[in-house]
Coordinates of all heavy atoms in Angstrom, one line a residue:
Y66 N 111.2 -140.5 -32.5 CA 110.8 -141.0 -33.8 C 109.7 -142.1 -33.5 O 108.6 -142.0 -34.1 CB 111.9 -141.6 -34.6 CG 111.5 -142.5 -35.7 CD1 111.0 -141.9 -36.9 CD2 111.4 -143.9 -35.6 CE1 110.6 -142.7 -38.0 CE2 111.0 -144.7 -36.6 CZ 110.6 -144.1 -37.8 OH 110.1 -144.9 -38.8
H67 N 110.0 -143.1 -32.7 CA 109.0 -144.2 -32.5 C 107.8 -143.7 -31.8 O 106.7 -144.2 -32.0 CB 109.7 -145.3 -31.8 CG 110.6 -146.1 -32.7 ND1 112.0 -146.0 -32.7 CD2 110.3 -147.1 -33.6 CE1 112.5 -146.8 -33.6 NE2 111.5 -147.4 -34.2
L68 N 107.9 -142.8 -30.8 CA 106.7 -142.3 -30.1 C 105.8 -141.6 -31.1 O 104.6 -141.8 -31.1 CB 107.1 -141.4 -29.0 CG 107.7 -142.1 -27.7 CD1 108.2 -141.1 -26.7 CD2 106.7 -143.0 -27.1
M69 N 106.4 -140.8 -32.0 CA 105.6 -140.1 -32.9 C 104.9 -141.0 -33.9 O 103.8 -140.9 -34.3 CB 106.4 -139.0 -33.7 CG 106.8 -137.8 -32.8 SD 105.4 -137.1 -31.9 CE 104.4 -136.5 -33.2
E70 N 105.6 -142.1 -34.3 CA 105.0 -143.1 -35.2 C 103.9 -143.8 -34.5 O 102.9 -144.1 -35.1 CB 106.1 -144.1 -35.6 CG 107.1 -143.6 -36.6 CD 106.4 -143.2 -37.9 OE1 105.7 -144.0 -38.6 OE2 106.6 -142.0 -38.3
Q71 N 104.0 -144.1 -33.2 CA 103.0 -144.8 -32.5 C 101.7 -143.9 -32.4 O 100.6 -144.3 -32.6 CB 103.4 -145.1 -31.0 CG 104.3 -146.3 -31.0 CD 104.8 -146.5 -29.6 OE1 104.3 -146.0 -28.6 NE2 105.8 -147.4 -29.4
Y72 N 102.0 -142.6 -32.2 CA 100.8 -141.7 -32.1 C 100.2 -141.5 -33.4 O 98.9 -141.6 -33.5 CB 101.3 -140.3 -31.5 CG 100.1 -139.4 -31.4 CD1 99.2 -139.6 -30.4 CD2 99.9 -138.3 -32.2 CE1 98.0 -138.8 -30.3 CE2 98.8 -137.5 -32.1 CZ 97.9 -137.7 -31.1 OH 96.8 -136.9 -31.0
K73 N 101.0 -141.3 -34.5 CA 100.4 -141.1 -35.8 C 99.7 -142.4 -36.3 O 98.8 -142.3 -37.1 CB 101.5 -140.7 -36.8 CG 102.0 -139.3 -36.5 CD 102.9 -138.7 -37.6 CE 104.0 -139.6 -37.9 NZ 105.0 -138.9 -38.9
S74 N 100.0 -143.5 -35.8 CA 99.4 -144.8 -36.2 C 98.0 -145.0 -35.6 O 97.2 -145.8 -36.0 CB 100.2 -146.0 -36.0 OG 100.3 -146.3 -34.6
Q75 N 97.7 -144.2 -34.6 CA 96.3 -144.3 -33.9 C 95.3 -143.7 -34.9 O 95.5 -142.7 -35.5 CB 96.3 -143.5 -32.6 CG 97.1 -144.1 -31.5 CD 96.9 -143.3 -30.2 OE1 96.4 -142.2 -30.2 NE2 97.3 -143.9 -29.1
T76 N 94.2 -144.4 -34.9 CA 93.0 -143.9 -35.7 C 92.4 -142.8 -35.0 O 92.6 -142.6 -33.8 CB 92.0 -145.0 -35.9 OG1 91.4 -145.4 -34.7 CG2 92.6 -146.3 -36.6
L77 N 91.5 -142.0 -35.6 CA 90.8 -140.9 -35.0 C 89.9 -141.5 -33.8 O 89.8 -140.9 -32.8 CB 89.9 -140.2 -36.0 CG 90.7 -139.3 -37.0 CD1 89.8 -138.7 -38.0 CD2 91.5 -138.3 -36.3
E78 N 89.4 -142.7 -34.0 CA 88.6 -143.3 -33.0 C 89.4 -143.6 -31.8 O 89.0 -143.4 -30.6 CB 87.9 -144.6 -33.5 CG 87.0 -145.3 -32.5 CD 86.4 -146.5 -33.0 OE1 86.3 -146.7 -34.3 OE2 86.0 -147.4 -32.2
E79 N 90.6 -144.2 -32.0 CA 91.5 -144.5 -30.9 C 92.0 -143.2 -30.2 O 92.0 -143.2 -28.9 CB 92.8 -145.2 -31.4 CG 92.5 -146.7 -31.8 CD 93.7 -147.3 -32.5 OE1 94.4 -146.6 -33.3 OE2 93.9 -148.5 -32.3
R80 N 92.3 -142.2 -30.9 CA 92.7 -140.9 -30.3 C 91.5 -140.4 -29.4 O 91.7 -139.8 -28.3 CB 93.1 -139.9 -31.3 CG 94.4 -140.2 -31.9 CD 94.9 -139.2 -32.9 NE 96.0 -139.6 -33.6 CZ 96.6 -138.9 -34.6 NH1 96.1 -137.8 -35.0 NH2 97.7 -139.4 -35.2
S81 N 90.3 -140.5 -29.9 CA 89.1 -140.0 -29.2 C 89.0 -140.8 -27.9 O 88.7 -140.3 -26.8 CB 87.9 -140.1 -30.0 OG 86.8 -139.8 -29.3
Q82 N 89.2 -142.1 -28.0 CA 89.0 -143.1 -26.9 C 90.1 -142.8 -25.8 O 89.9 -143.0 -24.7 CB 89.0 -144.5 -27.4 CG 88.8 -145.5 -26.3 CD 88.9 -146.9 -26.9 OE1 89.2 -147.2 -28.1 NE2 88.6 -147.9 -26.1
T83 N 91.3 -142.5 -26.3 CA 92.4 -142.4 -25.3 C 92.8 -140.9 -25.0 O 93.7 -140.7 -24.2 CB 93.7 -143.0 -25.9 OG1 94.0 -142.4 -27.2 CG2 93.5 -144.5 -26.2
G84 N 92.1 -139.9 -25.5 CA 92.3 -138.6 -25.1 C 93.2 -137.8 -26.0 O 93.4 -136.6 -25.8
G85 N 93.8 -138.4 -27.0 CA 94.7 -137.7 -28.0 C 96.0 -137.2 -27.3 O 96.3 -137.5 -26.2
M86 N 96.7 -136.3 -28.0 CA 97.9 -135.7 -27.5 C 97.5 -134.6 -26.5 O 96.7 -133.7 -26.8 CB 98.7 -135.2 -28.6 CG 100.1 -134.7 -28.2 SD 101.3 -136.0 -27.7 CE 101.7 -136.7 -29.3
R87 N 98.2 -134.6 -25.3 CA 97.9 -133.6 -24.3 C 99.2 -133.1 -23.8 O 100.3 -133.5 -24.1 CB 97.1 -134.3 -23.2 CG 95.7 -134.6 -23.6 CD 94.9 -135.3 -22.6 NE 95.2 -136.8 -22.7 CZ 94.8 -137.7 -21.8 NH1 93.9 -137.3 -20.9 NH2 95.1 -138.9 -22.0
R88 N 99.1 -132.1 -22.9 CA 100.3 -131.5 -22.3 C 100.2 -131.4 -20.8 O 99.2 -131.1 -20.3 CB 100.5 -130.1 -22.9 CG 100.8 -130.1 -24.3 CD 101.5 -128.9 -24.8 NE 101.9 -129.2 -26.2 CZ 103.0 -129.7 -26.5 NH1 103.9 -130.0 -25.7 NH2 103.3 -130.0 -27.8
D89 N 101.4 -131.5 -20.2 CA 101.5 -131.3 -18.8 C 101.5 -129.7 -18.6 O 102.1 -129.0 -19.3 CB 102.8 -131.8 -18.3 CG 103.2 -131.4 -16.9 OD1 102.6 -131.9 -16.0 OD2 104.1 -130.5 -16.7
D90 N 100.7 -129.3 -17.6 CA 100.6 -127.8 -17.4 C 101.9 -127.2 -16.9 O 102.1 -126.0 -17.2 CB 99.5 -127.5 -16.3 CG 98.1 -127.9 -16.8 OD1 97.9 -127.9 -18.1 OD2 97.3 -128.2 -16.0
Y91 N 102.7 -127.9 -16.2 CA 103.9 -127.3 -15.6 C 105.1 -127.1 -16.6 O 105.6 -126.1 -16.8 CB 104.4 -128.2 -14.4 CG 105.6 -127.6 -13.8 CD1 105.6 -126.4 -13.1 CD2 106.8 -128.3 -13.8 CE1 106.7 -125.9 -12.4 CE2 108.0 -127.9 -13.2 CZ 107.9 -126.7 -12.5 OH 109.0 -126.2 -11.9
M92 N 105.5 -128.2 -17.3 CA 106.6 -128.1 -18.3 C 106.2 -128.2 -19.7 O 107.0 -128.2 -20.6 CB 107.6 -129.3 -18.0 CG 108.3 -129.2 -16.7 SD 109.3 -127.6 -16.5 CE 110.4 -127.8 -17.9
E93 N 104.9 -128.3 -20.0 CA 104.4 -128.4 -21.3 C 104.8 -129.6 -22.1 O 104.8 -129.7 -23.3 CB 104.7 -127.1 -22.2 CG 104.0 -125.9 -21.7 CD 104.2 -124.7 -22.6 OE1 104.6 -124.9 -23.8 OE2 104.0 -123.6 -22.1
A94 N 105.3 -130.6 -21.3 CA 105.7 -131.9 -21.9 C 104.5 -132.6 -22.6 O 103.4 -132.5 -22.0 CB 106.3 -132.8 -20.9
A95 N 104.7 -133.2 -23.7 CA 103.6 -133.9 -24.4 C 103.4 -135.3 -23.9 O 104.4 -135.9 -23.5 CB 103.9 -133.9 -25.9
F96 N 102.1 -135.7 -23.8 CA 101.9 -137.1 -23.5 C 100.6 -137.6 -24.2 O 99.7 -136.8 -24.5 CB 101.8 -137.3 -22.0 CG 100.6 -136.8 -21.3 CD1 99.5 -137.6 -21.0 CD2 100.6 -135.5 -20.9 CE1 98.4 -137.1 -20.4 CE2 99.4 -134.9 -20.3 CZ 98.3 -135.7 -20.0
F97 N 100.6 -138.9 -24.3 CA 99.4 -139.5 -24.9 C 99.2 -141.0 -24.4 O 100.2 -141.6 -23.9 CB 99.4 -139.6 -26.4 CG 100.5 -140.4 -27.0 CD1 100.2 -141.7 -27.4 CD2 101.7 -139.9 -27.3 CE1 101.2 -142.5 -28.0 CE2 102.7 -140.7 -27.8 CZ 102.5 -142.0 -28.2
N98 N 98.0 -141.4 -24.4 CA 97.7 -142.8 -23.9 C 97.5 -143.6 -25.2 O 97.0 -143.1 -26.2 CB 96.4 -142.9 -23.1 CG 96.6 -142.2 -21.7 OD1 97.7 -141.8 -21.3 ND2 95.5 -142.0 -21.0
S99 N 97.7 -144.9 -25.1 CA 97.5 -145.9 -26.1 C 97.0 -147.2 -25.5 O 97.3 -147.5 -24.4 CB 98.7 -146.1 -27.0 OG 99.8 -146.5 -26.3
I100 N 96.3 -147.9 -26.3 CA 95.8 -149.2 -25.8 C 96.7 -150.3 -26.5 O 96.9 -150.3 -27.7 CB 94.4 -149.4 -26.2 CG1 93.5 -148.4 -25.6 CG2 93.9 -150.8 -25.8 CD1 92.1 -148.3 -26.1
K101 N 97.3 -151.2 -25.6 CA 98.3 -152.1 -26.1 C 97.6 -153.3 -26.8 O 98.2 -153.9 -27.6 CB 99.2 -152.6 -25.0 CG 100.3 -153.4 -25.4 CD 101.3 -153.6 -24.4 CE 102.5 -154.4 -24.9 NZ 103.7 -154.4 -24.2
D102 N 96.4 -153.7 -26.4 CA 95.8 -154.9 -27.0 C 94.4 -154.6 -27.4 O 93.8 -153.5 -27.1 CB 95.9 -156.1 -26.0 CG 95.1 -155.8 -24.7 OD1 94.1 -155.1 -24.7 OD2 95.5 -156.4 -23.7
N103 N 93.8 -155.5 -28.1 CA 92.5 -155.3 -28.7 C 91.4 -155.4 -27.6 O 90.2 -155.1 -27.9 CB 92.2 -156.3 -29.8 CG 93.1 -155.9 -31.0 OD1 93.5 -154.8 -31.2 ND2 93.5 -157.0 -31.8
N104 N 91.7 -155.9 -26.4 CA 90.7 -156.1 -25.4 C 90.5 -154.8 -24.5 O 89.8 -154.9 -23.5 CB 91.0 -157.3 -24.5 CG 90.9 -158.6 -25.3 OD1 90.1 -158.7 -26.3 ND2 91.8 -159.5 -25.0
D105 N 91.2 -153.7 -24.9 CA 91.2 -152.5 -24.1 C 91.6 -152.7 -22.6 O 91.1 -152.1 -21.7 CB 89.8 -151.9 -24.1 CG 89.3 -151.5 -25.5 OD1 90.2 -151.5 -26.4 OD2 88.2 -151.2 -25.6
T106 N 92.5 -153.7 -22.4 CA 92.8 -154.0 -21.0 C 94.1 -153.3 -20.5 O 94.3 -153.1 -19.4 CB 92.9 -155.5 -20.8 OG1 93.9 -156.0 -21.7 CG2 91.5 -156.1 -21.0
L107 N 95.1 -153.1 -21.5 CA 96.4 -152.5 -21.0 C 96.6 -151.2 -21.7 O 96.8 -151.1 -22.9 CB 97.5 -153.5 -21.4 CG 98.9 -153.0 -20.9 CD1 98.9 -152.8 -19.4 CD2 100.0 -154.0 -21.2
V108 N 96.5 -150.2 -20.9 CA 96.7 -148.8 -21.4 C 98.2 -148.5 -21.1 O 98.7 -148.8 -20.0 CB 95.8 -147.8 -20.7 CG1 96.1 -146.4 -21.1 CG2 94.4 -148.2 -20.9
R109 N 98.8 -147.8 -22.1 CA 100.2 -147.3 -21.9 C 100.1 -145.8 -22.0 O 99.3 -145.2 -22.7 CB 101.1 -147.8 -23.0 CG 101.3 -149.3 -23.1 CD 102.2 -149.7 -24.2 NE 101.5 -149.3 -25.5 CZ 102.0 -149.6 -26.7 NH1 103.2 -150.3 -26.8 NH2 101.4 -149.3 -27.8
Q110 N 101.0 -145.1 -21.2 CA 101.0 -143.7 -21.3 C 102.5 -143.3 -21.7 O 103.4 -143.8 -21.1 CB 100.7 -143.0 -19.9 CG 100.5 -141.5 -20.1 CD 99.8 -140.9 -18.8 OE1 100.5 -140.7 -17.8 NE2 98.5 -140.7 -18.9
S111 N 102.6 -142.5 -22.7 CA 103.9 -142.1 -23.2 C 104.1 -140.6 -23.0 O 103.2 -139.8 -23.3 CB 103.9 -142.4 -24.7 OG 103.7 -143.8 -25.0
W112 N 105.3 -140.3 -22.5 CA 105.7 -138.9 -22.3 C 106.9 -138.5 -23.1 O 107.8 -139.4 -23.2 CB 106.0 -138.7 -20.8 CG 104.8 -138.7 -19.9 CD1 104.1 -139.8 -19.4 CD2 104.1 -137.5 -19.4 NE1 103.0 -139.3 -18.7 CE2 103.0 -138.0 -18.6 CE3 104.4 -136.2 -19.5 CZ2 102.2 -137.1 -18.0 CZ3 103.5 -135.3 -18.9 CH2 102.4 -135.8 -18.1
M113 N 107.0 -137.3 -23.6 CA 108.1 -136.8 -24.3 C 108.2 -135.3 -24.3 O 107.2 -134.7 -24.1 CB 108.0 -137.4 -25.7 CG 107.0 -136.6 -26.6 SD 106.5 -137.5 -28.1 CE 104.9 -138.0 -27.6

Side-chain angles (χ1 to χ4, degrees):
Y66 164 80
H67 283 101
L68 287 172
M69 291 308 298
E70 286 299 304
Q71 286 176 13
Y72 182 71
K73 290 190 304 186
S74 72
Q75 288 183 346
T76 65
L77 290 176
E78 181 181 341
E79 288 172 322
R80 287 183 189 176
S81 174
Q82 183 181 5
T83 60
M86 186 70 75
R87 293 176 275 178
R88 294 204 172 269
D89 170 74
D90 294 333
Y91 180 67
M92 290 303 298
E93 294 185 21
F96 71 95
F97 66 94
N98 292 351
S99 56
I100 299 170
K101 188 168 182 161
D102 60 32
N103 293 331
N104 296 325
D105 298 350
T106 58
L107 184 57
V108 176
R109 297 179 296 185
Q110 191 167 81
S111 301
W112 285 81
M113 74 198 107

